[in-house]
Amino acid sequence: MYMKNILIPFLMSVVLFNVSYSIDNGLELQGSKSYPIPKEVVASVGPINISAEEFYYSYRYGPAFAKRESNSKSKYLKYMIYEKLLALEGYKKRIDKRKDIASIIKEFGNDIATGEMFKDDVLKKVKISQAEIDTLIVQKQLQLNIKWLYAKDKNKLNVILKDMKAGISFDSLYSLQFKDSIYTNDRSLKTNRYQLGLKNPAFASIIDTLHIGSPSKPIKETDGWYIIKLDNVFKNVFMDKTEFTKLRYESIEALKKKKMDKLSDRYVNKILLRNKPVIKRNSFNLLRSYIAMKSLPKKKYDDWRLSDKLKAALNSLKVTKKNISKTVLVTLRGGSVDLGKFLDWFWNRSQYIKLDDSNLRSFSVTLENLIWRMVRDKLLSERAYARKYNRTKEYIKQVKWWKDKIVYSAERNAIEKSVLLQDKEVTINKKDTAKIKLNREKQNIKITRMFFLKLNKLKSKYRVKINKDVLEKIHVSDEQDPKAIEFYIVKKDGLIPRPAYPSIDPWWANWE
């Protein structure tokens, strides 16, 4: 199973720095003004300091419930302090040394170090011209209304063409298409030129050749034939300075990301090909059967005869329970990856992984692609550490933020688990939804009470100091805004899927 060139484009859709490394370089943009983030500490919780920078990014990407309230920044900071207090309790229990927690912290560190390396090796090579920015601004302003006729086969297309030749208008034929559960949304689109080019470049290039109101020539696609009409085009020319500043900023970021994607592909491709990774067939069969056993329904596992394939792989490899995790899965130039390492990588991401179980071949291909991705992650993180990107100020700062967050989450889970264990003797009929709901409400009350008692105890144990003057100097958007909306920015194409920055737990909304 050699890594053919055809696999590499799938693997390498990887902008490791993503939003968290290119947002605004420490400036809060409000209207046409930008405000620097203060360098001071906004609060201290025992030995942990919360910097103005950590607060700013946490608030910016955090849940909206606190932003809707009066004194938004103070309330948000309160919950950051609560999380730091619980993290301190976790550190006291040495939760960060637990194998599963230490593994997650390490994964986040690898991602941050690799992102720092990419800033030097890729981001600095991104060049954007004024002409490119102007073009993209126009594309974002250009609104398109598009309609199309659809014919499933050549015979139906010929009927449409015959009607058009006889003088029947496009719009008349268009209205005839809406039957048998076909709606206008199935035959029309309203979008801007930029979004169209982003989602369907081939379609956008066809639209660029059309005149308003004139149907296109028939276009053959895999599912049938299309005749497209550009129904209307208009441009938003009434834009104030603030809106234009925002539009320009968005255009620069979009161009930057597009160019980073291309450069990232080449960069990672080169590293992979240099290391010549090869997946060992019997080890792959062993891994496939094991993961299928954990994730597939028993009937499908049996239908695919994966138990027989597992036995054959075990016999061929001659492994025992003691050394099975050390079985080599991938050989590399100067190294290897064993089953244990891959499984650690896999389980840390399992909530984000969807294996295609439509058939055995699809399942196998999905798993194989995950192995290549794991190899990519290993090579990139090793390269970043060898070049000491795990010693940069940015790395040290962000790893500390994430470590506190991860330890807090583990401590919170431990508190919740203790309540659930106390209630494990309670037996409720699964069909009695009213009692199930009531039991959950009781459990939530118990959990909240336990948190309350724990936090009061920790407040008396650790000194908390808030620097209100520093908090006042931090400029944020969506402050005391009843209409503040929830949005999530996830860094999904790096070494591990994660939010751009750690932010407070949405669970705290229960305390409002």
Side-chain angles (χ1 to χ4, degrees):
M1 293 169 62
Y2 292 93
M3 185 179 61
K4 303 294 187 184
N5 288 341
I6 194 169
L7 281 174
I8 296 173
F10 169 84
L11 292 165
M12 301 313 112
S13 52
V14 52
V15 183
L16 297 183
F17 21 77
N18 210 333
V19 292
S20 59
Y21 302 108
S22 61
I23 45 174
D24 51 22
N25 299 315
L27 296 176
E28 166 64 17
L29 190 68
Q30 291 183 1
S32 58
K33 294 183 179 180
S34 58
Y35 299 90
I37 300 170
K39 303 293 183 184
E40 298 100 319
V41 170
V42 72
S44 58
V45 186
I48 297 176
N49 288 330
I50 301 174
S51 67
E53 185 183 18
E54 181 182 4
F55 174 85
Y56 166 76
Y57 286 121
S58 181
Y59 186 98
R60 179 167 182 174
Y61 295 101
F65 76 89
K67 302 174 186 179
R68 299 185 186 120
E69 306 292 329
S70 58
N71 302 315
S72 302
K73 291 192 292 186
S74 294
K75 288 196 174 180
Y76 195 96
L77 181 59
K78 175 180 72 174
Y79 294 121
M80 285 188 76
I81 290 168
Y82 286 175
E83 293 192 4
K84 298 296 186 184
L85 286 167
L86 290 165
L88 285 169
E89 183 72 358
Y91 285 126
K92 182 186 173 185
K93 297 176 183 176
R94 295 177 61 82
I95 282 178
D96 56 313
K97 305 299 181 186
R98 211 170 73 193
K99 184 180 176 182
D100 57 334
I101 302 302
S103 177
I104 290 289
I105 293 169
K106 175 69 173 174
E107 295 273 20
F108 276 59
N110 291 348
D111 187 49
I112 292 165
T114 305
E116 288 297 291
M117 178 176 70
F118 264 60
K119 280 198 271 185
D120 283 343
D121 290 357
V122 179
L123 185 56
K124 286 182 178 179
K125 296 177 182 177
V126 173
K127 306 295 180 187
I128 301 171
S129 70
Q130 187 58 49
E132 288 175 310
I133 296 170
D134 292 342
T135 299
L136 200 57
I137 288 173
V138 171
Q139 287 185 353
K140 281 177 170 280
Q141 290 178 294
L142 213 58
Q143 300 296 315
L144 310 175
N145 291 349
I146 305 164
K147 294 179 179 178
W148 59 86
L149 304 176
Y150 171 71
K152 189 175 182 179
D153 52 46
K154 192 68 180 285
N155 290 333
K156 291 184 178 180
L157 173 66
N158 288 335
V159 172
I160 291 173
L161 293 174
K162 184 179 178 181
D163 289 341
M164 292 180 79
K165 192 173 182 180
I168 300 176
S169 69
F170 179 97
D171 288 341
S172 296
L173 293 170
Y174 178 76
S175 63
L176 292 174
Q177 297 232 323
F178 302 111
K179 56 184 178 180
D180 299 328
S181 300
I182 302 297
Y183 302 99
T184 53
N185 287 342
D186 299 318
R187 297 285 189 270
S188 65
L189 178 67
K190 291 183 179 180
T191 186
N192 66 51
R193 174 58 183 80
Y194 168 71
Q195 287 296 331
L196 184 63
L198 199 64
K199 294 175 182 176
N200 194 328
F203 189 31
S205 64
I206 292 169
I207 293 297
D208 289 342
T209 66
L210 299 180
H211 297 288
I212 297 174
S214 299
S216 71
K217 292 180 180 179
I219 299 164
K220 178 72 171 73
E221 291 294 334
T222 54
D223 62 335
W225 293 82
Y226 292 82
I227 298 175
I228 303 166
K229 186 178 86 165
L230 186 57
D231 204 44
N232 194 14
V233 179
F234 58 94
K235 181 180 176 184
N236 180 15
V237 293
F238 300 105
M239 187 174 290
D240 61 28
K241 187 176 180 181
T242 299
E243 290 174 320
F244 185 79
T245 300
K246 183 182 177 184
L247 181 60
R248 188 176 188 280
Y249 171 77
E250 290 173 350
S251 299
I252 291 170
E253 290 302 300
L255 282 167
K256 193 184 294 183
K257 183 184 183 304
K258 184 178 179 180
K259 294 198 172 190
M260 287 192 299
D261 280 351
K262 289 183 179 179
L263 289 171
S264 296
D265 288 353
R266 293 179 204 155
Y267 180 85
V268 181
N269 249 337
K270 189 175 179 181
I271 293 172
L272 278 164
L273 292 172
R274 188 189 303 141
N275 283 275
K276 300 179 179 177
V278 179
I279 298 174
K280 307 296 285 184
R281 169 57 65 184
N282 285 322
S283 300
F284 176 83
N285 289 344
L286 173 58
L287 174 70
R288 182 182 59 187
S289 293
Y290 174 75
I291 289 180
M293 190 190 302
K294 296 287 185 181
S295 59
L296 293 180
K298 186 177 185 303
K299 185 178 185 308
K300 187 168 286 189
Y301 183 85
D302 292 340
D303 288 346
W304 290 355
R305 302 183 65 184
L306 288 172
S307 180
D308 294 341
K309 293 176 174 62
L310 174 62
K311 288 176 184 176
L314 287 170
N315 290 334
S316 178
L317 292 166
K318 294 181 172 57
V319 294
T320 65
K321 287 184 178 180
K322 289 184 178 180
N323 65 9
I324 193 168
S325 65
K326 298 297 181 183
T327 302
V328 174
L329 175 64
V330 182
T331 58
L332 295 153
R333 188 176 178 182
S336 63
V337 176
D338 60 40
L339 285 173
K341 289 290 184 184
F342 175 80
L343 286 171
D344 286 343
W345 179 95
F346 180 87
W347 296 126
N348 282 338
R349 296 159 177 78
S350 57
Q351 62 180 312
Y352 306 104
I353 290 172
K354 172 64 177 170
L355 289 161
D356 185 350
D357 60 358
S358 54
N359 54 63
L360 179 59
R361 176 174 172 75
S362 297
F363 187 85
S364 302
V365 169
T366 310
L367 181 58
E368 184 181 341
N369 286 330
L370 286 172
I371 295 170
W372 293 133
R373 185 163 183 136
M374 186 270 174
V375 171
R376 178 207 75 173
D377 292 358
K378 168 185 164 64
L379 293 173
L380 288 172
S381 57
E382 285 178 352
R383 184 181 177 89
Y385 278 74
R387 293 169 61 186
K388 297 183 171 49
Y389 281 99
N390 59 321
R391 298 184 185 178
T392 65
K393 288 182 180 179
E394 190 67 24
Y395 172 90
I396 293 167
K397 175 178 67 183
Q398 288 206 45
V399 165
K400 182 65 176 72
W401 295 351
W402 278 111
K403 188 176 181 183
D404 289 349
K405 181 66 182 180
I406 293 165
V407 173
Y408 149 74
S409 297
E411 175 62 16
R412 185 201 139 167
N413 288 341
I415 293 171
E416 291 185 347
K417 189 176 180 181
S418 67
V419 171
L420 297 175
L421 284 172
Q422 290 171 14
D423 291 352
K424 69 178 182 179
E425 299 300 326
V426 177
T427 303
I428 299 173
N429 188 329
K430 291 182 180 180
K431 294 181 181 179
D432 194 338
T433 55
K435 283 190 177 181
I436 290 172
K437 184 180 178 182
L438 180 62
N439 188 56
R440 284 177 182 167
E441 288 174 354
K442 287 180 178 179
Q443 286 178 340
N444 286 335
I445 291 170
K446 286 183 182 180
I447 289 168
T448 302
R449 176 175 169 75
M450 189 168 284
F451 267 97
F452 180 79
L453 294 172
K454 174 74 74 174
L455 286 168
N456 278 343
K457 186 177 178 180
L458 292 170
K459 284 177 194 175
S460 62
K461 183 176 181 180
Y462 297 104
R463 182 170 180 264
V464 176
K465 181 183 177 183
I466 297 173
N467 298 319
K468 292 183 179 179
D469 56 331
V470 177
L471 184 63
E472 186 66 29
K473 288 190 290 183
I474 302 172
H475 289 268
V476 294
S477 55
D478 292 331
E479 186 177 1
Q480 298 178 192
D481 180 6
K483 297 180 180 179
I485 60 171
E486 298 286 1
F487 72 98
Y488 302 93
I489 295 182
V490 179
K491 184 176 180 293
K492 65 183 178 65
D493 288 326
L495 270 60
I496 188 167
R498 62 178 177 90
Y501 291 96
S503 57
I504 63 169
D505 199 327
W507 180 83
W508 294 114
N510 298 323
W511 286 50
E512 288 298 313

